[in-house]
Amino acid sequence: QLQASGGGLVQAGDSLRLSCAMSGRIFSSYVMGWFRQAPGQEREFVAAIGLSSSGSVLYTDSVKGRSTISRDDRKSTVYLEMSSLRPEDTAVYYCAADPVRSVYYTVSDKVADYHYWGQGTLVTVSS
C-alpha cells in the first residue's frame, strides 16, 4: 500500500514537500516515482528515483532544477520537494512503485511500468 501526503493550497513561488509511505512490501527493492494529473489531462511523469545503492534520479524537464526526489529506506518513504511552485504545477500527485527484478533495471518515466499506485494528494498553486 502507498500512502501519499503533503499536498495543499499554496501560493505561487512557495515550496512544498510531498511524502509517500509504503507498507506491506520491501520498499528498498522498488524504484519509486511521482506522477501528476491535472483536471482533464493525462497522468504525467514528474520524478523517479532508483534503488538507494544507485543514486539514480530522473526528472521531467518542467520541474528540473526546482524539485528534488529522495528516499529513506528505513522509513519506507519517498519524498518530493518542490520549490518555486507555479500555477501549472496544480494537479493530483501520485506516488508509484516499480519492483526491481534485475540488476539491469532502469528508472522509468512511463506510467505503464509502475505496478503499484497511491491514492494521490492534491496540490493547488494559486497565482
Side-chain angles (χ1 to χ4, degrees), residues 36-84:
R36 65 188 178 186
Q37 188 166 18
Q41 298 187 22
E42 294 188 354
R43 193 166 298 189
E44 66 173 4
F45 172 76
V46 178
I49 185 167
L51 303 186
S52 292
S53 57
S54 74
S56 298
V57 294
L58 186 66
Y59 298 95
T60 191
D61 287 346
S62 64
V63 306
K64 199 174 295 183
R66 58 187 186 95
S67 296
T68 301
I69 188 171
S70 61
R71 66 188 298 157
D72 186 338
D73 288 352
R74 294 170 301 172
K75 296 182 179 180
S76 297
T77 300
V78 61
Y79 304 96
L80 180 67
E81 296 186 68
M82 301 182 69
S83 61
S84 302

Side-chain angles (χ1 to χ4, degrees), residues 3-5 12 17 19 32 34 53 97-98 103 112 119 122:
Q3 183 72 39
S5 61
R17 187 176 83 158
S19 302
M32 299 300 298
W34 285 98
S53 57
D98 176 16
V103 296
Q119 85 290 359
L122 176 62

Side-chain angles (χ1 to χ4, degrees), residues 9-28:
L9 173 63
V10 298
Q11 301 284 333
D14 283 352
S15 299
L16 200 66
R17 187 176 83 158
L18 305 180
S19 302
C20 176
M22 177 184 280
S23 60
R25 301 187 185 276
I26 303 174
F27 178 80
S28 59

Side-chain angles (χ1 to χ4, degrees), residues 72-124:
D72 186 338
D73 288 352
R74 294 170 301 172
K75 296 182 179 180
S76 297
T77 300
V78 61
Y79 304 96
L80 180 67
E81 296 186 68
M82 301 182 69
S83 61
S84 302
L85 283 162
R86 308 165 182 169
E88 52 264 40
D89 293 318
T90 296
V92 176
Y93 283 71
Y94 297 91
C95 60
D98 176 16
V100 172
R101 296 189 174 92
S102 166
V103 296
Y104 303 110
Y105 77 95
T106 58
V107 177
S108 174
D109 60 357
K110 295 181 175 48
V111 170
D113 288 338
Y114 288 81
H115 289 222
Y116 305 106
W117 292 83
Q119 85 290 359
T121 184
L122 176 62
V123 174
T124 304

